Amino acid sequence: MNASTWGAGVPPFSLDEIATAVLDPDGTVLWWSQAAANLLHRPSAEVCGYSVSRLLVNALGCRIDGGAIPAAGQATLRQRSGATIEVDFRVLPLEGRAELLTLAAPSACVTAWEQDSALVRALFAQDRIKIRVHDTALHVVRTNITSTTRDASFLPPSDRSAKAMTAGDTEAALRRVLETGTPLTGHDQSAPSTGSDGRRSTPMAAARMEDALGKPLGVVTLLTGEELPSGPDPVLRQQVSVRIGASLDVTRTAQDLADVLVPALGDLASVTLAEAVLQGDEPPQVLGGGELHRRRVAAASAAGPWPPALLQPGEAIPPMPDTPTQRSLQHGGAFILDHAAAVATYGDPELVRMFIPEHGHSGMWAPLFARGLVLGVVSVWRTDRPEPFDEADAELLTEIASRAALSVDNARRYARERRANIILQQRLLPRALIDSPAVRTASVYLPASDGAGIGGDWFDVVALPSLRTALVVGDVVGHGLSASATMGQLRTAVQTLADLELDPTELLTHLDDLVARLAAETDPAQRDAMGATCLYAVYDPVIRCCSLASAGHPPPVLFRPDGTARALEVPPGPPLGVGGLPFETTTIDLEPGSVLALYTDGLITGDDLDPETGLRRLTADLAAQCRPDRPLDETARALVADATDGPRRDDIALLLTRTRALPADTTADWQFPADSAIVADARDVTARRLADWECDELAFTTELIVSELVTNAIRYAGEPIGLRLIRTATGLICEVTDPSNTQPRLRRARTTDEGGRGLFLVAQLTERWGCRYGPSGKTIWAEQLVDKHRGVS
């Protein structure tokens, strides 16, 4: 047994995995172990002397600062990168001292350790499953065999010096397990019996035990306590129980069935499935012959390659004749045919060639029948073995096919749910390629592949006024439809908040409140699992800068045109839903042609990859893969391919953005004092610039818009007043900036009113208008579109 695969990725128990810390009664960290530093990627100098509450994302019932520290529980800790990890902890008092010793380990490891202990207790409590634990000398050191069950196959633990073997081949087999680490399955251990032949055969399995470092500790053997007849049936049944159903892939399950049957039952075996089953749907009810809508998906041959003359895996089943044997299969029955009867049943020489192997003298068919549905058919032929199939073989194949059908149906239903989740996830995500005057983007989304279900990873690109672009990437806690639904809610919320032109810090604050409300509406038992991380960025192509804020999300990676790449230092902030803690906005200048990589943690983490190492690898890969002449979508696929080798335990979302800058001659800006006399000056400079741009058709409406907006700024806001014009491929954007934070309001003036019509006129003359706020003051913008054939729209 390889230590890396123990417990599906959870390491075996080791004292080295337990993080320890010493706290004073107020929760201040006094001592910090190396295991704790490894767990959170935080050295002792960064933690000691500070309250442990700085590391907490949430804790069940914990009040640290000035409150009682609980004796045990679960907590979510924040690693240095901003990622979070769930831990189980114990707090122990030190005799004669006020300090507290705190022990913590990842919750996943604790759960696996508890399950391992429960598994061992359950196995040793059995009387039908007999267990022996051997040391490296193959001495029995532990067993569940009592004196009442003692026979020649089992020795009590008191007999430490005797080998628990009754045959030399069994001892040799266990020695090979110990030396090679290859598990033993399908081995029959012979023992004396009171039966007619004086012997009995007991199926036995064995595996090597290893410590946390992979050093062999001995061998464990498992035997059933029932006396089974000698022959292939017990071994075949054991292989069926062990191999079939281990995968949630329909085709893999069918292939496992074919591999189990050959050579144990026959020389050739094949499995056909309804095409609907391969798509995750229920198969149609078909009676008689004709088009069956089935496909051969698996085949196995004892002689090696599948005979080329027969129907090959992946090929569709042609129309079949309506025969009694065909109807028997459709009603759940199995049958046996010799060569002559099979030829007569198929009739058509082409069908005979496709389905009857050369030298095939005895064939057997059984339906894959589950929950009232015929999912497909399994067939077995004997070509080299001289004995024909009999009724006992047919009963055995029917039993095996029934068990396999349930596994195929489970895989089918899983495929259906997974497909529905993927479709939902993809419908909620934007287009993979977006091309605008500000940016060009490319994206890749890959769902998890280990059976955990689709997660809540998402990304988005939102076009904002004045050619600005919002870039978003996030990751919802959990998997399945609930995570996808939460992702859809958050994506909609981000788009709505982005349209309000909030700065990144304020947007994440509103999003944090939303997640907290969603958690409050969730079942209390699942409330702690409600959360998300998010990174929100806004790029402005006019001033060529990007503002970013993070809610517990991994930092973006920036590739510069000079060929260098680095991870940006963005304060991670708390994950969404924690509440009460601030977010910070970081602003950086970006050269045209820079590439910004936003991603979820599935791209930089794995079973054997910590986030810091994964981030360094991603940074190096981006520097190597990103080139100005290489399409951005090709770069994105290459980055994901480099980071995904083998099954993925988490979703991956990657958004690459190549920045652009507006040419200097497409923008113009001016500053004016708050004097009513400058309204005419603003109109004059606007008219001259539009003439330079050959946009005379926009002159009248633009001068009117500038006049109204500048007049309002003079009247209500004060100075300085900024005016900026941005020429785009489709029209013109006019912006007026003032130092006031007063929200402009659009109202309909009455007939007798002398004013109040400015914003109303602006709204009527433009395609859209709005207002955004900066660190000081606000900007009112208005956008006009130009139809080249009809003028201003």
Side-chain angles (χ1 to χ4, degrees), residues 171-211:
E171 180 177 357
L174 294 185
R175 180 67 63 186
R176 285 194 298 272
V177 172
L178 182 64
E179 293 173 351
T180 66
T182 302
L184 175 68
T185 60
H187 181 84
D188 276 358
Q189 177 166 308
S190 178
S193 175
T194 58
S196 60
D197 61 354
R199 307 294 295 174
R200 71 178 175 87
S201 180
T202 303
M204 182 180 75
R208 186 171 73 182
M209 300 181 298
E210 301 174 351
D211 63 13

Side-chain angles (χ1 to χ4, degrees), residues 586-608:
T586 301
T587 301
I588 59 171
D589 294 326
L590 293 182
E591 305 167 73
S594 300
V595 174
L596 198 62
L598 279 62
Y599 55 91
T600 55
D601 58 0
L603 188 63
I604 61 170
T605 57
D607 290 339
D608 58 349

